[in-house]
Amino acid sequence: MTQRFDSIIVGAGQAGPPLAGRLTGAGQRVALVERKLIGGTCVNNGCIPTKTLVASAHAAHVARRGGEYGIGTGAVSVDMAKVKARKDGVMLNDRKAVEDWLESMDGCTVFRGHARFEDAHTLRVGDQLLQADRIFLNVGGRAVAPDIPGLADVEFLTNVSILELDTLPEHLVIVGGSYIALEFAQMYRRFGAKVTVVERGPRLASREDEDVSVSIREILEAEGIDVVVNADDVRLIKRDNGFGGFGGFELTPSAGAATIAGSHLLLAVGRKPNTGDLGLDAAGVQTDARGYIVVDDQLKTNVDHIWALGDCNGKGAFTHTSYNDFEIVAANLLDGDSRRVSDRILTYALYIDPPLGRAGMTVAQVRASGRKALVGKRPMTKVGRAVEKGETQGFMKIVVDADTHQILGAAILGVGGDEVIHAILDVMSAKAPYTTLSRTMHIHPTVSELVPTMLQEMEPLA
Ligand SMILES: Cc1cc2nc3c(=O)[nH]c(=O)nc-3n(C[C@H](O)[C@H](O)[C@H](O)COP(=O)(O)OP(=O)(O)OC[C@H]3O[C@@H](n4cnc5c(N)ncnc54)[C@H](O)[C@@H]3O)c2cc1C
């Protein structure tokens, strides 16, 4: 028998549950379908578990540095089983909060299973058929397994399986040099593992400006992480290495390069959308060459009553972009407010320690655009609060349009960078001139108080 709803939401990630809340609040009957874990990637194997682990790793790091602050801690040990238990506790609490919310939501029925289109208004979940006037896809993405010679013979970890480790790898080799890779690299080094990062390109975090990449590499190498770049021909051979335990291996990064003997291999080379098994053809929904669902500025697909939100639409790859997608769809459908994706400013953080907070364009992008610009830069060694905290790695940088005086972009790589960036982001969002920020009195002593100073000392972009 076919069950009828006003709306069907596929995926209980970062957009699906709040959208169910708004739609049911408006009196709709909503079916929400989830095939795995309520909360999706962020809650179960993305942001929340990783940032909880980053916090444990930070505690170990601070304890080891205690002597620099006149604090004796004795030998520092890391109990991986307890680290994992803390992570599981935070993650499970979060998942349960979303589950409880959905279960108590009047008008919302949660279906557990894989949803697939039968036609443009009908989805099959197991032996049940669900039909609705409107359908919202929030199916997220998953880690890509690259085509590496020898990989089929070697056990490897992804961002999902590494979260199940409760022992310390002897030598964790990470293929990939972007956000997920670098966060795991630093945390496992701080837990006590030997760590090597193997990156295909010439530098880490390659989407950032070169000075940001260089500084990130220095921060990681200073903690004893080995970084191998230009690994353009990675090959793997299964080998015992005497490490025992997991599946030992040897990795050759490029032709003629020295091999790396590892105990654990983490692949963090990108993600792809969960769109291949949704039956999109049956609904006539278009995807692009990489499988992302094609949407317009208000997140509608080419089929008038179907929307796609979150990582699966290729318009963002973050929890905040997925949540913002929900806000855009809800505003358009329920509030008569025509919010659009193009209204938002790119922003994100890289949670190594110290973190990188980013907003808007890089300096390289501004230079390529050909516009006249002003650039300000200040090392964290010249930020009083960072000196007092003994955390002076990194720098802050900002780029401003020389004609309009609007801020085009910023990178804060340093203590508090993930928070400080918001002062800049909000001024960008208000489309106010940089002088709004440079003339605002900030609290002393903070990292944020040097943002106005940096803006007062800008120079023309060469
Ligand atoms: C290790 C890691 C760390 C990260 N850290 C951060 C961070 O610090 N900050 C940040 O902003 N972002 C971070 N991200 C990215 C963030 O987790 C994702 O951008 C976000 O979770 C995407 O949410 P979503 O709503 O698009 O989909 P998801 O959260 O992926 O949810 C999609 C859901 O749909 C379900 N589903 C898929 N197909 C079907 C189907 N056919 N039927 C039924 N259900 C289906 C899936 O099971 C899943 O539960 C991180 C990601 C990873 C992997």
Side-chain angles (χ1 to χ4, degrees):
M1 193 183 75
T2 304
Q3 301 180 58
R4 289 267 327 148
F5 294 88
D6 297 309
S7 295
I8 300 170
I9 300 170
V10 183
Q14 294 304 301
L19 185 61
R22 282 300 312 275
L23 293 171
T24 53
Q28 291 197 19
R29 288 186 63 240
V30 174
L32 189 146
V33 192
E34 172 54 56
R35 69 179 177 190
K36 279 192 188 142
L37 299 170
I38 299 285
T41 307
C42 174
V43 169
N44 297 291
N45 40 56
C47 335
I48 289 173
T50 55
K51 269 77 254 183
T52 309
L53 292 173
V54 162
S56 287
H58 182 250
H61 182 65
V62 171
R64 284 192 197 102
R65 289 186 62 203
E68 293 174 38
Y69 298 82
I71 308 297
T73 54
V76 175
S77 64
V78 175
D79 182 334
M80 286 302 289
K82 284 191 180 160
V83 167
K84 177 177 179 295
R86 177 176 182 275
K87 179 268 295 175
D88 286 344
V90 172
M91 180 266 289
L92 289 171
N93 269 345
D94 226 76
R95 185 199 302 164
K96 185 165 182 324
V98 187
E99 281 171 344
D100 289 351
W101 181 38
L102 288 172
E103 271 160 29
S104 64
M105 198 179 278
D106 281 344
C108 179
T109 310
V110 176
F111 291 84
R112 300 284 190 152
H114 177 87
R116 175 184 277 274
F117 280 100
E118 295 269 306
D119 61 49
H121 283 280
T122 312
L123 286 147
R124 173 176 290 283
V125 182
D127 52 11
Q128 313 192 69
L129 289 177
L130 314 181
Q131 226 167 48
D133 297 334
R134 289 172 171 167
I135 296 173
F136 302 92
L137 306 173
N138 177 218
V139 292
R142 62 184 185 280
V144 167
D147 190 13
I148 298 176
L151 184 62
D153 305 326
V154 175
E155 279 182 81
F156 65 88
L157 299 161
T158 65
N159 70 286
V160 177
S161 48
I162 195 170
L163 295 173
E164 295 308 313
L165 287 187
D166 59 4
T167 54
L168 193 66
E170 285 172 76
H171 184 183
L172 176 65
V173 179
I174 302 177
V175 178
S178 198
Y179 304 81
I180 293 172
L182 300 182
E183 291 177 13
F184 279 115
Q186 190 184 45
M187 86 173 68
Y188 269 93
R189 180 67 193 140
R190 289 179 170 191
F191 291 149
K194 178 172 167 56
V195 174
T196 303
V197 174
V198 177
E199 159 59 36
R200 184 171 52 179
R203 59 189 173 93
L204 301 178
S206 58
R207 272 177 291 174
E208 306 303 333
D209 280 329
E210 186 143 7
D211 53 357
V212 174
S213 292
V214 167
S215 197
I216 288 171
R217 183 169 176 168
E218 283 169 3
I219 288 165
L220 297 179
E221 287 182 333
E223 293 189 24
I225 294 169
D226 289 331
V227 176
V228 177
V229 292
N230 298 316
D232 55 6
D233 189 15
V234 173
R235 286 161 192 276
L236 286 159
I237 297 176
K238 187 173 172 62
R239 193 140 298 166
D240 187 351
N241 294 329
F243 286 131
F246 208 67
F249 59 91
E250 265 182 18
L251 180 150
T252 313
S254 54
T259 59
I260 300 161
S263 63
H264 291 64
L265 176 68
L266 170 64
L267 300 179
V269 292
R271 297 180 63 76
K272 65 176 179 190
N274 291 325
T275 52
D277 51 6
L278 250 181
L280 290 172
D281 286 353
V285 175
Q286 276 175 9
T287 55
D288 69 13
R290 295 188 302 151
Y292 290 99
I293 299 171
V294 178
V295 289
D296 66 14
D297 211 13
Q298 293 178 325
L299 302 166
K300 196 179 272 193
T301 68
N302 62 304
V303 178
D304 208 37
H305 64 276
I306 302 179
W307 287 257
L309 303 86
D311 284 11
C312 67
N313 65 24
K315 299 263 180 198
F318 301 101
T319 285
H320 46 274
T321 47
S322 180
Y323 190 82
N324 188 247
D325 284 359
F326 142 66
E327 292 184 320
I328 290 168
V329 170
N332 280 290
L333 288 180
L334 303 172
D335 303 334
D337 183 359
S338 69
R339 290 178 65 179
R340 285 160 197 278
V341 177
S342 53
D343 293 338
R344 71 189 179 204
I345 299 164
L346 177 73
T347 189
Y348 53 87
L350 161 62
Y351 290 93
I352 58 163
D353 174 35
L356 169 69
R358 279 272 296 114
M361 300 169 83
T362 61
V363 170
Q365 287 168 335
V366 173
R367 190 175 277 121
S369 76
R371 65 183 103 191
K372 275 191 352 194
L374 303 166
V375 178
K377 190 170 174 181
R378 173 168 282 259
M380 295 307 262
T381 49
K382 290 172 92 181
V383 173
R385 190 68 196 278
V387 175
E388 291 144 18
K389 288 186 162 190
E391 298 183 50
T392 53
Q393 290 169 313
F395 59 86
M396 49 172 92
K397 185 166 77 163
I398 198 157
V399 57
V400 168
D401 189 300
D403 296 322
T404 66
H405 284 188
Q406 285 189 10
I407 300 171
L408 298 171
I412 314 273
L413 175 61
V415 56
D418 52 333
E419 300 288 348
V420 176
I421 195 71
H422 289 90
I424 297 168
L425 181 67
D426 292 344
V427 173
M428 291 171 75
S429 177
K431 296 189 169 42
Y434 77 89
T435 45
T436 306
L437 184 48
S438 66
R439 292 175 188 177
T440 300
M441 182 178 73
H442 280 194
I443 298 167
H444 173 76
T446 59
V447 176
S448 301
E449 79 177 312
L450 271 305
V451 174
T453 314
M454 172 171 65
L455 284 163
Q456 289 155 17
E457 295 171 349
M458 290 188 297
E459 292 186 354
L461 174 63

